Amino acid sequence: ARCDQGDGGCPGGERLTGRRVRGEGVRESALGSGSVRAMAADARALWLLVADADGSVARLERRDPRTARLFGTTRLPRRAISGLAVTPRRAWVLTRNRQLLAVDRAGRVRRALGRVTAVVAQGDQLWALRSGGRALVNLHPRTGRVRSSAPVRRPLAPRLTFTRSYVWGLEASGRAAVRLPRA
């Protein structure tokens, strides 16, 4: 949410806004400078992928999932502002040049996989779309190593999601969905 002009508690011009279900009302947390490009969460942290207005600096912020208090910041390559997914021990950042980076809670960054166009995670499930949308890949949630791969007949759009039993992709044409049983 944008801040009001002259709001001293919001130096970066943006706030993170949330509503508690139990009637506590809206709680706002001011964010630092930059623009949030992606957000993901697990039970232990809220992760924000942030880029400066000119795109010169990208960082991954790890915040308290209840209060949004900043735990730590990891500086990322400038190109690392494309996508974000979170497993219990790592954040997975997708770069514009299709590299998948693993960022652990200590802020260590390593390259995990190349030629990735989409990434999605839920719990201990980590899936990616590779090879120009022609393969769904099940990745190990700690190492990012490929556990299994399933080729698809028609290219998929760079959007994936989960249901209880399946990982779903959408054909690039937008006219068909593809499902694969979760591991």
Side-chain angles (χ1 to χ4, degrees), residues 40-97:
D42 61 15
R44 296 176 60 190
L46 172 66
W47 299 80
L48 303 177
L49 187 57
V50 182
D52 282 351
D54 65 357
S56 62
V57 177
R59 66 184 182 275
L60 186 63
E61 295 181 353
R62 190 169 55 89
R63 294 179 172 265
D64 183 289
R66 275 193 69 205
T67 66
R69 181 177 56 88
L70 185 64
F71 285 151
T73 300
T74 302
R75 191 176 180 95
L76 297 170
R78 178 178 168 205
R79 63 189 184 276
I81 57 171
S82 178
L84 177 65
V86 176
T87 55
R89 295 180 186 233
R90 287 180 179 44
W92 301 88
V93 178
L94 185 58
T95 68
R96 284 187 181 167
N97 65 350

Side-chain angles (χ1 to χ4, degrees), residues 7 28-29 32 38 45-46 52 58 63-64 69 104 114 121 127 130-132 142 145 154 156 172 180:
D7 185 350
E28 294 183 351
S29 300
L46 172 66
D52 282 351
R63 294 179 172 265
D64 183 289
R69 181 177 56 88
D104 65 16
W127 288 78
R130 286 190 83 183
S131 302
R142 286 192 200 167
R145 292 179 196 249
R154 295 188 185 108
L156 298 181
L180 191 67

Side-chain angles (χ1 to χ4, degrees), residues 100-111:
L100 184 62
L101 305 177
V103 182
D104 65 16
R105 294 190 183 280
R108 291 182 294 264
V109 180
R110 70 172 177 77
R111 182 182 173 279

